[in-house]
Amino acid sequence: MVHLADGVLLLSIQRLKGERSERSLFHVLNGKRSATTLQDAFFYDLEPIFGLFPYTKYDYEKLLASFEKRGWLNRSSFTLTEAGSMLASPEAVSDLFDRLGGEYRDYTTMTWKRLSLFVQTFMSLEHERTFYPVQADRLAERWVKQIVRTEREWRPLIQSFHHELETALEDIGDPYATAVVYRFTGAFETGYTYEQIAALLDVDARTARLYFLAGWNALLWKLPRDAKLLGFAHGLSSERMTLSARGSYEQFLAGRSFQQVQSQRRLRTSTIEDHVVEMAMYLDEFPLDQFVPLEQIKQVEQLRDESSWALKPIFEQIDGISYYQIRLVFARLKRGETFV
């Protein structure tokens, strides 16, 4: 049987267009915070699944082997067959894929851990019941303990949480809302497993998990800015730029040159270059012409195949340009800028 979860993974392979390797996708699925993996996710529209499929190498190999055996994948070129492309093409697959929220890194995950643990804790205390924490995360446990210890009348706040959740769940609709609701644990009822949710929704457990991830991500962004529930995201960042790149960016903002930033931070040239590429990828405004001559910028745009983000064909056609500079131009082109 073919499930939506299979379609999501096939779509991720399709989006790579045969330009990246099996290993590249493996690192995206596991959320590796390397420059190469971040760039793969950015250029090939894989950010929604970033870090959401933490496969072991064994399980990943098993998955690809099954896709090949079923006639969906050509592993020698790491491209889909016609049958695989058909399974990756339905709107339901791309809709689920793009809702998953992996681009927000740990923001959505930790917010869920905090809220779900708080709900369990509050309900158990209200009914004077002992419990085993639903989240085995020390940071989340510490955060909830600190909140619960503060002297506060929680009942009115719980009512506000309930109202905000109810409104947002109505907006996102099923099957996403159902997957989120049934994951909560209270004083007397334990949150459903993905297998139990799958039975409710008549899907497989992997798809049920994706419905939950997509639903929770969508719910967070449906909340108004003044929502009390967003207090559970306090101190968390949804920024895509890595902390290391952010450190270099702040140095540049202070007026330091590339060489000064490298000296100050005691990092390799290639590392600072990777940070600059991140800036080009994620910043709304970026002074591209400070890093690449305008004539070369135009050449890259003119020579690039619109269906490809491959660096080598460009590198081989332009004298004196580096892969680093091509990535910078690509980043701004990906963001919709044009220079020709």
Side-chain angles (χ1 to χ4, degrees):
M1 182 180 292
V2 180
H3 300 289
L4 269 178
D6 291 322
V8 166
L9 290 165
L10 289 169
L11 180 56
S12 68
I13 297 172
Q14 185 181 68
R15 289 187 176 185
L16 287 174
K17 305 173 183 178
E19 295 180 359
R20 304 298 293 152
S21 66
E22 293 180 0
R23 179 179 294 182
S24 299
L25 180 58
F26 175 76
H27 292 318
V28 171
L29 296 176
N30 278 275
K32 185 177 181 180
R33 303 294 175 92
S34 70
T36 300
T37 301
L38 290 170
Q39 290 166 31
D40 285 343
F42 175 80
F43 287 117
Y44 294 98
D45 299 316
L46 298 179
E47 288 190 309
I49 62 167
F50 186 87
L52 298 186
F53 295 83
Y55 286 112
T56 63
K57 289 183 178 179
Y58 172 79
D59 288 336
Y60 182 62
E61 169 61 31
K62 188 176 177 181
L63 174 76
L64 296 185
S66 72
F67 284 176
E68 184 178 42
K69 185 177 180 179
R70 291 192 238 184
W72 301 343
L73 175 66
N74 183 334
R75 292 192 67 177
S76 62
S77 60
F78 201 48
T79 57
L80 299 185
T81 62
E82 184 177 350
S85 295
M86 289 180 62
L87 295 174
S89 63
E91 187 176 340
V93 173
S94 57
D95 181 65
L96 177 56
F97 188 111
D98 293 332
R99 287 174 180 255
L100 289 171
E103 61 266 44
Y104 301 114
R105 314 296 190 244
D106 300 324
Y107 177 83
T108 50
T109 303
M110 184 54 74
T111 304
W112 166 255
K113 286 181 177 180
R114 288 175 174 181
L115 176 61
S116 59
L117 183 56
F118 172 80
V119 169
Q120 181 196 26
T121 302
F122 175 82
M123 297 300 293
S124 298
L125 291 175
E126 280 286 283
H127 295 280
E128 299 181 345
R129 292 177 62 88
T130 58
F131 65 95
Y132 292 101
V134 69
Q135 298 293 347
D137 186 294
R138 290 185 178 180
L139 291 177
E141 285 185 22
R142 192 180 308 160
W143 194 90
V144 170
K145 284 179 180 178
Q146 184 176 350
I147 294 298
V148 171
R149 284 171 184 163
T150 60
E151 294 183 12
R152 181 180 295 185
E153 180 55 54
W154 283 109
R155 287 184 183 84
L157 200 54
I158 287 291
Q159 291 176 351
S160 296
F161 292 162
H162 184 270
H163 174 71
E164 291 173 357
L165 279 171
E166 194 173 56
T167 302
L169 287 166
E170 287 178 1
D171 283 345
I172 64 175
D174 278 331
Y176 306 106
T178 294
V180 171
V181 167
Y182 279 91
R183 286 293 288 166
F184 278 104
T185 291
F188 299 98
E189 293 184 354
T190 302
Y192 276 26
T193 65
Y194 292 125
E195 286 76 11
Q196 290 171 316
I197 294 173
L200 275 179
L201 299 176
D202 194 25
V203 295
D204 67 307
R206 294 175 305 138
T207 300
R209 172 178 173 269
L210 297 187
Y211 279 151
F212 165 73
L213 292 173
W216 178 243
N217 176 60
L219 185 149
L220 280 180
W221 302 108
K222 287 287 185 182
L223 293 172
R225 290 188 177 183
D226 61 350
K228 292 180 173 59
L229 276 172
L230 290 180
F232 289 91
H234 178 72
L236 302 177
S237 174
S238 60
E239 184 177 27
R240 292 182 292 169
M241 190 181 296
T242 60
L243 287 175
S244 186
R246 167 61 63 175
S248 294
Y249 174 52
E250 290 173 355
Q251 295 274 330
F252 281 113
L253 282 180
R256 294 183 174 85
S257 67
F258 187 102
Q259 289 73 23
Q260 288 172 327
V261 172
Q262 181 183 356
S263 176
Q264 182 79 17
R265 302 208 64 199
R266 298 180 181 179
L267 296 172
R268 294 179 300 176
T269 299
S270 60
T271 301
I272 302 298
E273 287 179 348
D274 288 335
H275 291 171
V276 175
V277 174
E278 276 195 60
M279 296 173 210
M281 287 159 51
Y282 302 134
L283 295 177
D284 290 335
E285 296 183 4
F286 179 81
L288 181 60
D289 57 359
Q290 293 184 20
F291 298 91
V292 189
L294 182 56
E295 187 56 40
Q296 288 188 333
I297 294 173
K298 292 179 178 179
Q299 284 182 288
V300 172
E301 182 174 0
Q302 290 171 330
L303 291 171
R304 179 190 160 242
D305 179 340
E306 290 186 2
S307 66
S308 171
W309 294 107
L311 300 169
K312 190 174 180 181
I314 305 295
F315 179 78
E316 291 177 340
Q317 294 181 75
I318 302 178
D319 292 332
I321 198 169
S322 66
Y323 281 107
Y324 159 59
Q325 291 174 310
I326 298 171
R327 289 199 304 271
L328 289 175
V329 179
F330 274 10
R332 301 316 291 179
L333 293 176
K334 179 66 176 175
R335 290 185 61 92
E337 291 188 14
T338 185
F339 307 93
V340 176

